[in-house]
Amino acid sequence: MSVLVIGADEITPIRAVLYDLGAKKVEHWDARNENRVNRKPIPTGTQCIVMLTSFLNHNTMKKIKTEAKKRKIPLVCAKRSVSCVYCEYCKVFGLGEKFKCDKKN
């Protein structure tokens, strides 16, 4: 699975978790320059998008969400913490039972 992570400067721990959950490729956009992110097309072959909402403005999130919905790409919205990304990813892909992620946010 190819995953696009949008937001944050450093995602090394998040990248490790995504690989553990089955991702084969993880691409990262830091979103420091919102205009660049808003104009950049989602890469072909992206099978999941993870938005780190603590680092994105509303317009960027809306644009990404709309594009993901059009292309039927699963969207994971989480805060910056690794545990939050892990749990939200498990919810979206129905892995809660397998990975014991029943934490309520």
Side-chain angles (χ1 to χ4, degrees):
M1 176 180 293
S2 178
V3 180
L4 172 63
V5 180
I6 304 172
D9 288 330
E10 180 58 46
I11 64 157
T12 302
I14 292 170
R15 186 183 304 263
V17 165
L18 292 172
Y19 283 131
D20 287 345
L21 289 169
K24 301 289 183 223
K25 178 183 175 191
V26 178
E27 185 172 341
H28 175 232
W29 296 351
D30 64 17
R32 281 237 176 225
N33 183 340
E34 68 186 63
N35 290 327
R36 186 175 35 164
V37 171
N38 288 339
R39 293 183 181 142
K40 208 173 188 183
I42 295 171
T44 305
T46 299
Q47 296 168 302
C48 175
I49 298 172
V50 176
M51 285 197 306
L52 302 175
T53 58
S54 298
F55 297 92
L56 300 173
N57 67 39
H58 291 284
N59 290 334
T60 301
M61 287 189 280
K62 184 177 179 181
K63 189 256 181 198
I64 297 298
K65 185 177 178 181
T66 302
E67 186 66 24
K69 190 173 185 176
K70 266 192 234 177
R71 293 179 49 186
K72 297 180 176 149
I73 300 171
L75 184 65
V76 177
C77 297
K79 294 182 180 180
R80 172 67 171 89
S81 73
V82 174
S83 62
C84 188
V85 170
Y86 177 83
C87 285
E88 292 303 316
Y89 187 95
C90 289
K91 285 177 194 174
V92 168
F93 289 100
L95 303 173
E97 293 294 318
K98 182 178 178 184
F99 292 103
K100 305 287 188 228
C101 189
D102 56 5
K103 178 181 166 188
K104 301 218 187 320
N105 290 333

